[in-house]
Amino acid sequence: MYAMKLITICCIILINLCIFPVALSELYSYVTCGSVIKLLNNHLKVRLHSHEVKYGSGSGQQSVTAIEDHDDVNSHWVIKGKSGKVCNRGEPISCGSTIRFEHLATKKNLHSHHFPSPLSNNQEVSAFGENGEGDTGDHWIVTCSSDYWERSGLVRFKHADTDMWMGVPGSTYGRPISGQKEVAALHYSDSSCYWKASEGVFIKPSELPLPSIAHVHTEL
């Protein structure tokens, strides 16, 4: 009798070891509040980027570009909630929700407004604010096809104030940022407006529901 109980417990443990990591990986498959990520443009395979270089026209604010280099630290962005709204660390980002992106190195938010972009004459995308605080021009609506923003899925970002779509039209800058691509907001969504989460640090939920199959019956 004791041997049978021991075998049963061992079987449950083996099932847990096999299935529990899979269940946890599903919980971790979403982009979450507080995560620090790079955004990869699916069309041109370039990463959203910023730096302490200001536009020479338009708003004169800090420029936002896209680059091929996957190691550049200036391509990290912190995911935050809408201004004045709590976005708990580790909370999955819902499709349709409004968020902000804070540039990790300069503490300015990804921003857009009614200024023409320098190369393609679309709408300018810049980095704006101080210490992570700006205005409603920092709000972006997450558009995706599931309930939450999946780390492996494609996503689009619609500017809340102007209803424009962030994309990479394909134009390339000369000096002083030679080879970097223009990032702009477009009137319509095309293939250049699809992004996916790339390298980064993804914050896990603070409380994880345990899968029912992983429950060990203490009465054995």
Side-chain angles (χ1 to χ4, degrees):
M1 183 66 178
Y2 175 78
M4 288 297 295
K5 287 184 177 180
L6 184 61
I7 291 171
T8 302
I9 292 172
C10 289
C11 289
I12 292 173
I13 291 172
L14 287 172
I15 291 172
N16 290 341
L17 289 174
C18 292
I19 297 178
F20 192 52
V22 175
L24 289 183
S25 68
E26 291 176 354
L27 290 171
Y28 300 156
S29 63
Y30 303 117
V31 177
T32 54
C33 289
S35 294
V36 181
I37 69 171
K38 294 182 179 181
L39 283 173
L40 178 68
N41 183 267
N42 191 61
H43 180 59
L44 294 179
K45 309 304 180 185
V46 287
R47 289 162 175 79
L48 189 69
H49 180 85
S50 192
H51 39 223
E52 292 183 347
V53 177
K54 295 183 178 180
Y55 286 122
S57 60
S59 68
Q61 294 177 3
Q62 182 172 301
S63 59
V64 170
T65 62
I67 63 172
E68 293 182 357
D69 186 358
H70 65 276
D71 291 327
D72 198 309
V73 297
N74 280 319
S75 299
H76 284 113
W77 300 85
V78 183
I79 298 177
K80 307 186 299 183
K82 181 180 179 180
S83 298
K85 183 177 180 181
V86 175
C87 187
N88 297 317
R89 285 173 58 84
E91 180 182 343
I93 301 295
S94 300
C95 295
S97 62
T98 300
I99 63 171
R100 293 175 294 165
F101 295 96
E102 180 182 325
H103 188 240
L104 183 64
T106 62
K107 307 299 181 186
K108 295 182 182 296
N109 294 328
L110 185 68
H111 183 88
S112 193
H113 42 210
H114 292 294
F115 283 92
S117 61
L119 302 182
S120 63
N121 203 38
N122 285 291
Q123 183 170 289
E124 181 186 277
V125 173
S126 65
F128 171 77
E130 296 294 335
N131 296 318
E133 295 301 326
D135 59 27
T136 59
D138 305 337
H139 291 159
W140 298 86
I141 301 170
V142 180
T143 304
C144 39
S145 58
S146 57
D147 291 333
Y148 298 99
W149 178 2
E150 297 178 353
R151 286 172 55 173
S152 60
L154 295 179
V155 63
R156 294 174 295 162
F157 303 107
K158 187 176 185 180
H159 189 242
D161 277 358
T162 63
D163 292 332
M164 305 279 270
W165 301 89
M166 185 172 71
V168 184
S171 304
T172 304
Y173 286 104
R175 294 182 179 179
I177 48 177
S178 300
Q180 297 188 19
K181 298 290 186 182
E182 180 190 56
V183 173
L186 312 180
H187 286 283
Y188 55 90
S189 173
D190 61 15
S191 59
S192 75
C193 296
Y194 284 86
W195 302 81
K196 68 183 303 183
S198 187
E199 305 85 0
V201 177
F202 294 84
I203 303 299
K204 299 176 182 179
S206 57
E207 295 184 2
L208 300 174
L210 299 180
S212 58
I213 195 167
H215 180 66
V216 177
H217 294 276
T218 56
E219 67 268 21
L220 289 177

